[in-house]
Amino acid sequence: MTNILPLANSSIKYSPSISNPKLNPNYAYKLPAGAVDSIQKVGQAADPQMVPAKMLLSLLNSGLNDTKVDEKIFQGRTKEDWINMYNMSIDSAVTPTLMNGLEKNPNIKAPEEVVANMKASKEFALKYHGLQEKLLGEFSDFTKSKGIDTVQMKGIGFSMNYPEPTARFGGDLDVFNYKSGTNPADMKNNMSFETDKLAAKAGMDVALDHGPKHSEIRYKGMPIENHRNFLNAEIAPISDKMNKYLFKHLKPVQETLPHGTKILVPSKEFNNVFISYHAMQHYVGGGINFHHLADWAMQVKKHGLTIPEEAKGTKYEQFMYAFTNLANKHLGTNVKVPENKKLEDDIFRRMVHIEDKMGFNIEPPKHKNPVSMTVYKFKKFAAQNNRRNEFYEINKPLSKAIIESFIKHVKNPKTFINFFTKVK
């Protein structure tokens, strides 16, 4: 096994790139890369983010598929356009792959400080990928010594589907633990709670307040989501149905990471559902971005698209088609599926405007007084409840959703402060 690149700060927290990585289009920068400020909103166009988004997707497609970019998209682009594209790529954690696309297209000239920061992001992703490989290998050895097998989902394991795995950035490690040599689909072999106990006994920090789906273990500073379930099965029948599908099709296989570490990863059938359902959850709950689309494109490109029987006739099936069509249009896949332009456009708009996490176009209050904030939050909460009802195919009354939310706030009183101070 070759040496794994060290990372200076081994206790680094989840971050899509270098510390304070964004660029400010209204400031004249001095190198070295990384000495940058936060973005400011710029542009007076009806949708100033659209041009940077097209630039991003063209470079991302090139980085993923070895295709040439459409040079017309980059003709006459301003420094502001490039900086907005770069900042958008940081928000979506796809900057390293964009850098690969830029390197494959020498005719495309980006501003010096943008290139410098893109290179720094790629170098960081390389080191972080190596760190994750090292720590995942150690954690898997730890569980193996206790008679437990660790399967890693998404993240570093899934990165092996990318043409350059180390350019696929992942923040934390999602794992499932089961009794070695047994069937992981059988719930009696689920070793999630036992792994929590063993980790705590070994001196790792274990947080049990992350909900019923998983705990969080900190191993040498690396966050590890230790799953009991793969989806929030309790929220809707479709989630429970697809969660059971995932257990049935987990069927771990061995994968070898770039530095030779051997790990267990799920089957392609598992990823077909896990990657797409995870993206839908982000769409429904807020926060879907180009990182999710890139993962889906790599899954579909390598393994095609299969609609499980459990998903047919559901809103989830419609989401799978829409997400596939977006991958077809922007990231080089070629799978013929039914079109749903309205849903495709809404998903795309939400990926472009990641700052509007929920995408409800509800104007925030001009003054953060208790009355205006309560009205604003109520409107957003009602819209979110409607979307959850639609995509999870449930009929939860708004009154019940409010009561459940209030109980959560009571259990965590600090969130009441956010209710009256934060508009997002």
Side-chain angles (χ1 to χ4, degrees), residues 207-241:
L208 303 175
D209 58 349
H210 288 260
K213 187 174 68 173
H214 63 79
S215 63
E216 182 181 277
I217 299 171
R218 287 262 170 178
Y219 176 65
K220 295 185 178 181
M222 180 64 64
I224 299 175
E225 290 190 358
N226 177 28
H227 283 251
R228 294 83 159 88
N229 285 301
F230 302 116
L231 304 175
N232 295 111
E234 74 284 356
I235 66 173
I238 182 62
S239 298
D240 182 52
K241 188 183 294 185

PDB file of all heavy atoms in Angstrom, residues 207-241:
ATOM      1  N   ALA A 207     -22.579  10.825  19.170  1.00  0.00           N
ATOM      2  CA  ALA A 207     -23.765  11.669  19.344  1.00  0.00           C
ATOM      3  C   ALA A 207     -24.998  10.874  18.930  1.00  0.00           C
ATOM      4  O   ALA A 207     -25.068  10.377  17.804  1.00  0.00           O
ATOM      5  CB  ALA A 207     -23.643  12.944  18.515  1.00  0.00           C
ATOM      6  N   LEU A 208     -25.962  10.770  19.841  1.00  0.00           N
ATOM      7  CA  LEU A 208     -27.156   9.965  19.596  1.00  0.00           C
ATOM      8  C   LEU A 208     -28.383  10.812  19.314  1.00  0.00           C
ATOM      9  O   LEU A 208     -29.499  10.293  19.274  1.00  0.00           O
ATOM     10  CB  LEU A 208     -27.427   9.066  20.808  1.00  0.00           C
ATOM     11  CG  LEU A 208     -26.287   8.125  21.209  1.00  0.00           C
ATOM     12  CD1 LEU A 208     -26.648   7.371  22.494  1.00  0.00           C
ATOM     13  CD2 LEU A 208     -25.953   7.154  20.094  1.00  0.00           C
ATOM     14  N   ASP A 209     -28.183  12.125  19.108  1.00  0.00           N
ATOM     15  CA  ASP A 209     -29.311  13.043  18.950  1.00  0.00           C
ATOM     16  C   ASP A 209     -29.528  13.449  17.505  1.00  0.00           C
ATOM     17  O   ASP A 209     -29.992  14.557  17.221  1.00  0.00           O
ATOM     18  CB  ASP A 209     -29.094  14.283  19.810  1.00  0.00           C
ATOM     19  CG  ASP A 209     -27.800  15.021  19.492  1.00  0.00           C
ATOM     20  OD1 ASP A 209     -26.969  14.462  18.758  1.00  0.00           O
ATOM     21  OD2 ASP A 209     -27.619  16.151  19.992  1.00  0.00           O
ATOM     22  N   HIS A 210     -29.200  12.564  16.556  1.00  0.00           N
ATOM     23  CA  HIS A 210     -29.351  12.885  15.136  1.00  0.00           C
ATOM     24  C   HIS A 210     -30.598  12.255  14.526  1.00  0.00           C
ATOM     25  O   HIS A 210     -30.716  12.166  13.299  1.00  0.00           O
ATOM     26  CB  HIS A 210     -28.106  12.436  14.364  1.00  0.00           C
ATOM     27  CG  HIS A 210     -26.900  13.293  14.621  1.00  0.00           C
ATOM     28  ND1 HIS A 210     -26.494  14.282  13.763  1.00  0.00           N
ATOM     29  CD2 HIS A 210     -26.037  13.323  15.669  1.00  0.00           C
ATOM     30  CE1 HIS A 210     -25.415  14.886  14.256  1.00  0.00           C
ATOM     31  NE2 HIS A 210     -25.122  14.316  15.399  1.00  0.00           N
ATOM     32  N   GLY A 211     -31.509  11.799  15.373  1.00  0.00           N
ATOM     33  CA  GLY A 211     -32.735  11.205  14.865  1.00  0.00           C
ATOM     34  C   GLY A 211     -32.639   9.693  14.768  1.00  0.00           C
ATOM     35  O   GLY A 211     -31.594   9.092  15.045  1.00  0.00           O
ATOM     36  N   PRO A 212     -33.733   9.052  14.343  1.00  0.00           N
ATOM     37  CA  PRO A 212     -33.776   7.579  14.327  1.00  0.00           C
ATOM     38  C   PRO A 212     -32.961   6.930  13.212  1.00  0.00           C
ATOM     39  O   PRO A 212     -32.708   5.734  13.263  1.00  0.00           O
ATOM     40  CB  PRO A 212     -35.268   7.281  14.141  1.00  0.00           C
ATOM     41  CG  PRO A 212     -35.805   8.486  13.437  1.00  0.00           C
ATOM     42  CD  PRO A 212     -35.027   9.653  13.977  1.00  0.00           C
ATOM     43  N   LYS A 213     -32.543   7.706  12.205  1.00  0.00           N
ATOM     44  CA  LYS A 213     -31.864   7.098  11.060  1.00  0.00           C
ATOM     45  C   LYS A 213     -30.416   6.739  11.354  1.00  0.00           C
ATOM     46  O   LYS A 213     -29.913   5.715  10.901  1.00  0.00           O
ATOM     47  CB  LYS A 213     -31.932   8.033   9.847  1.00  0.00           C
ATOM     48  CG  LYS A 213     -31.387   7.405   8.564  1.00  0.00           C
ATOM     49  CD  LYS A 213     -31.604   8.293   7.355  1.00  0.00           C
ATOM     50  CE  LYS A 213     -30.775   9.552   7.416  1.00  0.00           C
ATOM     51  NZ  LYS A 213     -30.851  10.345   6.161  1.00  0.00           N
ATOM     52  N   HIS A 214     -29.718   7.583  12.102  1.00  0.00           N
ATOM     53  CA  HIS A 214     -28.301   7.323  12.341  1.00  0.00           C
ATOM     54  C   HIS A 214     -27.799   8.068  13.570  1.00  0.00           C
ATOM     55  O   HIS A 214     -28.417   9.048  14.024  1.00  0.00           O
ATOM     56  CB  HIS A 214     -27.452   7.730  11.127  1.00  0.00           C
ATOM     57  CG  HIS A 214     -27.501   9.196  10.816  1.00  0.00           C
ATOM     58  ND1 HIS A 214     -26.769  10.141  11.506  1.00  0.00           N
ATOM     59  CD2 HIS A 214     -28.196   9.891   9.876  1.00  0.00           C
ATOM     60  CE1 HIS A 214     -27.006  11.346  11.015  1.00  0.00           C
ATOM     61  NE2 HIS A 214     -27.882  11.217  10.022  1.00  0.00           N
ATOM     62  N   SER A 215     -26.689   7.606  14.113  1.00  0.00           N
ATOM     63  CA  SER A 215     -25.936   8.357  15.113  1.00  0.00           C
ATOM     64  C   SER A 215     -24.766   9.013  14.386  1.00  0.00           C
ATOM     65  O   SER A 215     -24.607   8.850  13.174  1.00  0.00           O
ATOM     66  CB  SER A 215     -25.416   7.412  16.198  1.00  0.00           C
ATOM     67  OG  SER A 215     -24.511   6.468  15.628  1.00  0.00           O
ATOM     68  N   GLU A 216     -23.946   9.756  15.129  1.00  0.00           N
ATOM     69  CA  GLU A 216     -22.716  10.280  14.534  1.00  0.00           C
ATOM     70  C   GLU A 216     -21.546   9.944  15.434  1.00  0.00           C
ATOM     71  O   GLU A 216     -21.536  10.263  16.628  1.00  0.00           O
ATOM     72  CB  GLU A 216     -22.776  11.794  14.320  1.00  0.00           C
ATOM     73  CG  GLU A 216     -21.500  12.317  13.640  1.00  0.00           C
ATOM     74  CD  GLU A 216     -21.498  13.814  13.418  1.00  0.00           C
ATOM     75  OE1 GLU A 216     -22.078  14.236  12.406  1.00  0.00           O
ATOM     76  OE2 GLU A 216     -20.914  14.543  14.250  1.00  0.00           O
ATOM     77  N   ILE A 217     -20.562   9.283  14.857  1.00  0.00           N
ATOM     78  CA  ILE A 217     -19.327   8.932  15.555  1.00  0.00           C
ATOM     79  C   ILE A 217     -18.217   9.819  15.027  1.00  0.00           C
ATOM     80  O   ILE A 217     -18.092  10.016  13.817  1.00  0.00           O
ATOM     81  CB  ILE A 217     -18.973   7.447  15.317  1.00  0.00           C
ATOM     82  CG1 ILE A 217     -20.082   6.541  15.868  1.00  0.00           C
ATOM     83  CG2 ILE A 217     -17.625   7.096  15.936  1.00  0.00           C
ATOM     84  CD1 ILE A 217     -19.920   5.079  15.485  1.00  0.00           C
ATOM     85  N   ARG A 218     -17.423  10.376  15.926  1.00  0.00           N
ATOM     86  CA  ARG A 218     -16.254  11.165  15.498  1.00  0.00           C
ATOM     87  C   ARG A 218     -15.009  10.320  15.732  1.00  0.00           C
ATOM     88  O   ARG A 218     -14.625  10.044  16.865  1.00  0.00           O
ATOM     89  CB  ARG A 218     -16.159  12.459  16.304  1.00  0.00           C
ATOM     90  CG  ARG A 218     -17.200  13.480  15.920  1.00  0.00           C
ATOM     91  CD  ARG A 218     -16.641  14.490  14.966  1.00  0.00           C
ATOM     92  NE  ARG A 218     -17.701  15.348  14.401  1.00  0.00           N
ATOM     93  CZ  ARG A 218     -17.479  16.329  13.575  1.00  0.00           C
ATOM     94  NH1 ARG A 218     -16.252  16.599  13.176  1.00  0.00           N
ATOM     95  NH2 ARG A 218     -18.473  17.054  13.091  1.00  0.00           N
ATOM     96  N   TYR A 219     -14.393   9.904  14.630  1.00  0.00           N
ATOM     97  CA  TYR A 219     -13.157   9.127  14.719  1.00  0.00           C
ATOM     98  C   TYR A 219     -11.997   9.997  14.257  1.00  0.00           C
ATOM     99  O   TYR A 219     -11.920  10.366  13.087  1.00  0.00           O
ATOM    100  CB  TYR A 219     -13.254   7.861  13.866  1.00  0.00           C
ATOM    101  CG  TYR A 219     -11.967   7.062  13.845  1.00  0.00           C
ATOM    102  CD1 TYR A 219     -11.487   6.464  15.008  1.00  0.00           C
ATOM    103  CD2 TYR A 219     -11.221   6.937  12.676  1.00  0.00           C
ATOM    104  CE1 TYR A 219     -10.300   5.759  15.001  1.00  0.00           C
ATOM    105  CE2 TYR A 219     -10.036   6.222  12.661  1.00  0.00           C
ATOM    106  CZ  TYR A 219      -9.572   5.636  13.835  1.00  0.00           C
ATOM    107  OH  TYR A 219      -8.388   4.943  13.837  1.00  0.00           O
ATOM    108  N   LYS A 220     -11.144  10.359  15.186  1.00  0.00           N
ATOM    109  CA  LYS A 220     -10.006  11.255  14.907  1.00  0.00           C
ATOM    110  C   LYS A 220     -10.480  12.517  14.193  1.00  0.00           C
ATOM    111  O   LYS A 220      -9.850  13.017  13.270  1.00  0.00           O
ATOM    112  CB  LYS A 220      -8.935  10.531  14.088  1.00  0.00           C
ATOM    113  CG  LYS A 220      -8.283   9.374  14.837  1.00  0.00           C
ATOM    114  CD  LYS A 220      -7.148   8.752  14.028  1.00  0.00           C
ATOM    115  CE  LYS A 220      -6.483   7.622  14.810  1.00  0.00           C
ATOM    116  NZ  LYS A 220      -5.353   6.997  14.057  1.00  0.00           N
ATOM    117  N   GLY A 221     -11.633  13.031  14.603  1.00  0.00           N
ATOM    118  CA  GLY A 221     -12.183  14.253  14.040  1.00  0.00           C
ATOM    119  C   GLY A 221     -13.057  14.055  12.826  1.00  0.00           C
ATOM    120  O   GLY A 221     -13.764  14.981  12.417  1.00  0.00           O
ATOM    121  N   MET A 222     -13.042  12.870  12.218  1.00  0.00           N
ATOM    122  CA  MET A 222     -13.844  12.620  11.011  1.00  0.00           C
ATOM    123  C   MET A 222     -15.269  12.229  11.392  1.00  0.00           C
ATOM    124  O   MET A 222     -15.470  11.270  12.143  1.00  0.00           O
ATOM    125  CB  MET A 222     -13.223  11.499  10.181  1.00  0.00           C
ATOM    126  CG  MET A 222     -13.978  11.170   8.897  1.00  0.00           C
ATOM    127  SD  MET A 222     -13.992  12.530   7.708  1.00  0.00           S
ATOM    128  CE  MET A 222     -12.228  12.657   7.330  1.00  0.00           C
ATOM    129  N   PRO A 223     -16.287  12.961  10.894  1.00  0.00           N
ATOM    130  CA  PRO A 223     -17.670  12.576  11.196  1.00  0.00           C
ATOM    131  C   PRO A 223     -18.084  11.329  10.423  1.00  0.00           C
ATOM    132  O   PRO A 223     -17.910  11.262   9.205  1.00  0.00           O
ATOM    133  CB  PRO A 223     -18.473  13.803  10.748  1.00  0.00           C
ATOM    134  CG  PRO A 223     -17.622  14.486   9.733  1.00  0.00           C
ATOM    135  CD  PRO A 223     -16.197  14.183  10.084  1.00  0.00           C
ATOM    136  N   ILE A 224     -18.604  10.358  11.156  1.00  0.00           N
ATOM    137  CA  ILE A 224     -19.077   9.111  10.559  1.00  0.00           C
ATOM    138  C   ILE A 224     -20.543   8.930  10.930  1.00  0.00           C
ATOM    139  O   ILE A 224     -20.881   8.824  12.117  1.00  0.00           O
ATOM    140  CB  ILE A 224     -18.259   7.895  11.054  1.00  0.00           C
ATOM    141  CG1 ILE A 224     -16.778   8.054  10.674  1.00  0.00           C
ATOM    142  CG2 ILE A 224     -18.824   6.597  10.491  1.00  0.00           C
ATOM    143  CD1 ILE A 224     -15.887   6.955  11.240  1.00  0.00           C
ATOM    144  N   GLU A 225     -21.420   8.925   9.936  1.00  0.00           N
ATOM    145  CA  GLU A 225     -22.834   8.665  10.186  1.00  0.00           C
ATOM    146  C   GLU A 225     -23.039   7.153  10.243  1.00  0.00           C
ATOM    147  O   GLU A 225     -22.887   6.458   9.237  1.00  0.00           O
ATOM    148  CB  GLU A 225     -23.713   9.289   9.097  1.00  0.00           C
ATOM    149  CG  GLU A 225     -23.759  10.802   9.154  1.00  0.00           C
ATOM    150  CD  GLU A 225     -24.808  11.405   8.234  1.00  0.00           C
ATOM    151  OE1 GLU A 225     -25.475  10.623   7.518  1.00  0.00           O
ATOM    152  OE2 GLU A 225     -24.944  12.637   8.239  1.00  0.00           O
ATOM    153  N   ASN A 226     -23.383   6.678  11.417  1.00  0.00           N
ATOM    154  CA  ASN A 226     -23.571   5.254  11.661  1.00  0.00           C
ATOM    155  C   ASN A 226     -25.060   4.934  11.537  1.00  0.00           C
ATOM    156  O   ASN A 226     -25.848   5.212  12.440  1.00  0.00           O
ATOM    157  CB  ASN A 226     -23.039   4.905  13.055  1.00  0.00           C
ATOM    158  CG  ASN A 226     -23.272   3.454  13.417  1.00  0.00           C
ATOM    159  OD1 ASN A 226     -23.340   2.591  12.555  1.00  0.00           O
ATOM    160  ND2 ASN A 226     -23.411   3.186  14.709  1.00  0.00           N
ATOM    161  N   HIS A 227     -25.457   4.350  10.395  1.00  0.00           N
ATOM    162  CA  HIS A 227     -26.870   4.201  10.058  1.00  0.00           C
ATOM    163  C   HIS A 227     -27.520   2.998  10.730  1.00  0.00           C
ATOM    164  O   HIS A 227     -26.972   1.903  10.736  1.00  0.00           O
ATOM    165  CB  HIS A 227     -27.029   4.069   8.546  1.00  0.00           C
ATOM    166  CG  HIS A 227     -26.891   5.381   7.829  1.00  0.00           C
ATOM    167  ND1 HIS A 227     -27.956   6.027   7.244  1.00  0.00           N
ATOM    168  CD2 HIS A 227     -25.813   6.174   7.611  1.00  0.00           C
ATOM    169  CE1 HIS A 227     -27.547   7.152   6.683  1.00  0.00           C
ATOM    170  NE2 HIS A 227     -26.240   7.266   6.893  1.00  0.00           N
ATOM    171  N   ARG A 228     -28.740   3.253  11.255  1.00  0.00           N
ATOM    172  CA  ARG A 228     -29.631   2.158  11.656  1.00  0.00           C
ATOM    173  C   ARG A 228     -30.536   1.823  10.473  1.00  0.00           C
ATOM    174  O   ARG A 228     -30.876   0.689  10.216  1.00  0.00           O
ATOM    175  CB  ARG A 228     -30.548   2.581  12.821  1.00  0.00           C
ATOM    176  CG  ARG A 228     -29.867   2.863  14.153  1.00  0.00           C
ATOM    177  CD  ARG A 228     -29.306   4.282  14.219  1.00  0.00           C
ATOM    178  NE  ARG A 228     -29.092   4.760  15.562  1.00  0.00           N
ATOM    179  CZ  ARG A 228     -27.990   4.597  16.275  1.00  0.00           C
ATOM    180  NH1 ARG A 228     -26.977   3.916  15.762  1.00  0.00           N
ATOM    181  NH2 ARG A 228     -27.874   5.098  17.483  1.00  0.00           N
ATOM    182  N   ASN A 229     -30.972   2.896   9.773  1.00  0.00           N
ATOM    183  CA  ASN A 229     -31.765   2.791   8.548  1.00  0.00           C
ATOM    184  C   ASN A 229     -31.077   3.597   7.459  1.00  0.00           C
ATOM    185  O   ASN A 229     -30.217   4.438   7.739  1.00  0.00           O
ATOM    186  CB  ASN A 229     -33.183   3.313   8.770  1.00  0.00           C
ATOM    187  CG  ASN A 229     -34.039   2.349   9.556  1.00  0.00           C
ATOM    188  OD1 ASN A 229     -34.237   1.215   9.138  1.00  0.00           O
ATOM    189  ND2 ASN A 229     -34.548   2.799  10.699  1.00  0.00           N
ATOM    190  N   PHE A 230     -31.483   3.381   6.218  1.00  0.00           N
ATOM    191  CA  PHE A 230     -30.895   4.122   5.104  1.00  0.00           C
ATOM    192  C   PHE A 230     -31.696   5.365   4.761  1.00  0.00           C
ATOM    193  O   PHE A 230     -31.151   6.336   4.234  1.00  0.00           O
ATOM    194  CB  PHE A 230     -30.775   3.217   3.876  1.00  0.00           C
ATOM    195  CG  PHE A 230     -29.939   1.996   4.138  1.00  0.00           C
ATOM    196  CD1 PHE A 230     -30.492   0.732   4.079  1.00  0.00           C
ATOM    197  CD2 PHE A 230     -28.593   2.115   4.464  1.00  0.00           C
ATOM    198  CE1 PHE A 230     -29.724  -0.396   4.325  1.00  0.00           C
ATOM    199  CE2 PHE A 230     -27.816   0.994   4.721  1.00  0.00           C
ATOM    200  CZ  PHE A 230     -28.378  -0.263   4.655  1.00  0.00           C
ATOM    201  N   LEU A 231     -32.993   5.332   5.052  1.00  0.00           N
ATOM    202  CA  LEU A 231     -33.875   6.459   4.808  1.00  0.00           C
ATOM    203  C   LEU A 231     -34.670   6.752   6.075  1.00  0.00           C
ATOM    204  O   LEU A 231     -34.715   5.922   6.991  1.00  0.00           O
ATOM    205  CB  LEU A 231     -34.846   6.151   3.658  1.00  0.00           C
ATOM    206  CG  LEU A 231     -34.241   5.739   2.321  1.00  0.00           C
ATOM    207  CD1 LEU A 231     -35.347   5.343   1.340  1.00  0.00           C
ATOM    208  CD2 LEU A 231     -33.394   6.854   1.733  1.00  0.00           C
ATOM    209  N   ASN A 232     -35.304   7.923   6.111  1.00  0.00           N
ATOM    210  CA  ASN A 232     -36.194   8.246   7.231  1.00  0.00           C
ATOM    211  C   ASN A 232     -37.496   7.477   7.036  1.00  0.00           C
ATOM    212  O   ASN A 232     -38.511   8.021   6.597  1.00  0.00           O
ATOM    213  CB  ASN A 232     -36.450   9.752   7.286  1.00  0.00           C
ATOM    214  CG  ASN A 232     -35.182  10.534   7.585  1.00  0.00           C
ATOM    215  OD1 ASN A 232     -34.661  11.253   6.737  1.00  0.00           O
ATOM    216  ND2 ASN A 232     -34.676  10.391   8.794  1.00  0.00           N
ATOM    217  N   ALA A 233     -37.453   6.207   7.381  1.00  0.00           N
ATOM    218  CA  ALA A 233     -38.552   5.295   7.070  1.00  0.00           C
ATOM    219  C   ALA A 233     -39.849   5.694   7.747  1.00  0.00           C
ATOM    220  O   ALA A 233     -40.944   5.356   7.262  1.00  0.00           O
ATOM    221  CB  ALA A 233     -38.167   3.874   7.482  1.00  0.00           C
ATOM    222  N   GLU A 234     -39.753   6.441   8.842  1.00  0.00           N
ATOM    223  CA  GLU A 234     -40.941   6.755   9.630  1.00  0.00           C
ATOM    224  C   GLU A 234     -41.788   7.869   9.033  1.00  0.00           C
ATOM    225  O   GLU A 234     -42.935   8.075   9.453  1.00  0.00           O
ATOM    226  CB  GLU A 234     -40.526   7.133  11.065  1.00  0.00           C
ATOM    227  CG  GLU A 234     -39.884   8.509  11.220  1.00  0.00           C
ATOM    228  CD  GLU A 234     -38.439   8.582  10.759  1.00  0.00           C
ATOM    229  OE1 GLU A 234     -37.866   7.535  10.371  1.00  0.00           O
ATOM    230  OE2 GLU A 234     -37.879   9.687  10.783  1.00  0.00           O
ATOM    231  N   ILE A 235     -41.255   8.605   8.050  1.00  0.00           N
ATOM    232  CA  ILE A 235     -41.972   9.804   7.603  1.00  0.00           C
ATOM    233  C   ILE A 235     -43.083   9.510   6.601  1.00  0.00           C
ATOM    234  O   ILE A 235     -43.997  10.318   6.460  1.00  0.00           O
ATOM    235  CB  ILE A 235     -40.998  10.851   7.011  1.00  0.00           C
ATOM    236  CG1 ILE A 235     -40.363  10.341   5.718  1.00  0.00           C
ATOM    237  CG2 ILE A 235     -39.964  11.271   8.023  1.00  0.00           C
ATOM    238  CD1 ILE A 235     -39.529  11.393   5.014  1.00  0.00           C
ATOM    239  N   ALA A 236     -42.997   8.379   5.891  1.00  0.00           N
ATOM    240  CA  ALA A 236     -44.003   8.107   4.860  1.00  0.00           C
ATOM    241  C   ALA A 236     -43.926   6.653   4.418  1.00  0.00           C
ATOM    242  O   ALA A 236     -42.862   6.033   4.470  1.00  0.00           O
ATOM    243  CB  ALA A 236     -43.782   9.015   3.649  1.00  0.00           C
ATOM    244  N   PRO A 237     -45.039   6.092   3.953  1.00  0.00           N
ATOM    245  CA  PRO A 237     -45.033   4.717   3.454  1.00  0.00           C
ATOM    246  C   PRO A 237     -44.013   4.479   2.339  1.00  0.00           C
ATOM    247  O   PRO A 237     -43.363   3.439   2.299  1.00  0.00           O
ATOM    248  CB  PRO A 237     -46.464   4.516   2.964  1.00  0.00           C
ATOM    249  CG  PRO A 237     -47.278   5.438   3.802  1.00  0.00           C
ATOM    250  CD  PRO A 237     -46.412   6.647   4.011  1.00  0.00           C
ATOM    251  N   ILE A 238     -43.856   5.451   1.416  1.00  0.00           N
ATOM    252  CA  ILE A 238     -42.904   5.257   0.326  1.00  0.00           C
ATOM    253  C   ILE A 238     -41.472   5.203   0.864  1.00  0.00           C
ATOM    254  O   ILE A 238     -40.648   4.427   0.375  1.00  0.00           O
ATOM    255  CB  ILE A 238     -43.037   6.376  -0.750  1.00  0.00           C
ATOM    256  CG1 ILE A 238     -42.071   6.135  -1.922  1.00  0.00           C
ATOM    257  CG2 ILE A 238     -42.804   7.745  -0.150  1.00  0.00           C
ATOM    258  CD1 ILE A 238     -42.292   4.863  -2.680  1.00  0.00           C
ATOM    259  N   SER A 239     -41.175   5.987   1.886  1.00  0.00           N
ATOM    260  CA  SER A 239     -39.833   5.950   2.482  1.00  0.00           C
ATOM    261  C   SER A 239     -39.590   4.611   3.169  1.00  0.00           C
ATOM    262  O   SER A 239     -38.498   4.035   3.064  1.00  0.00           O
ATOM    263  CB  SER A 239     -39.668   7.093   3.488  1.00  0.00           C
ATOM    264  OG  SER A 239     -39.789   8.342   2.855  1.00  0.00           O
ATOM    265  N   ASP A 240     -40.598   4.111   3.860  1.00  0.00           N
ATOM    266  CA  ASP A 240     -40.471   2.814   4.519  1.00  0.00           C
ATOM    267  C   ASP A 240     -40.303   1.703   3.479  1.00  0.00           C
ATOM    268  O   ASP A 240     -39.466   0.803   3.635  1.00  0.00           O
ATOM    269  CB  ASP A 240     -41.716   2.562   5.375  1.00  0.00           C
ATOM    270  CG  ASP A 240     -41.643   1.242   6.129  1.00  0.00           C
ATOM    271  OD1 ASP A 240     -40.624   1.009   6.814  1.00  0.00           O
ATOM    272  OD2 ASP A 240     -42.591   0.447   6.022  1.00  0.00           O
ATOM    273  N   LYS A 241     -41.069   1.787   2.406  1.00  0.00           N
ATOM    274  CA  LYS A 241     -41.004   0.774   1.350  1.00  0.00           C
ATOM    275  C   LYS A 241     -39.617   0.760   0.688  1.00  0.00           C
ATOM    276  O   LYS A 241     -39.024  -0.308   0.486  1.00  0.00           O
ATOM    277  CB  LYS A 241     -42.078   1.063   0.294  1.00  0.00           C
ATOM    278  CG  LYS A 241     -42.241  -0.010  -0.751  1.00  0.00           C
ATOM    279  CD  LYS A 241     -43.279   0.396  -1.796  1.00  0.00           C
ATOM    280  CE  LYS A 241     -44.658   0.485  -1.204  1.00  0.00           C
ATOM    281  NZ  LYS A 241     -45.691   0.756  -2.258  1.00  0.00           N
TER     282      LYS A 241
END
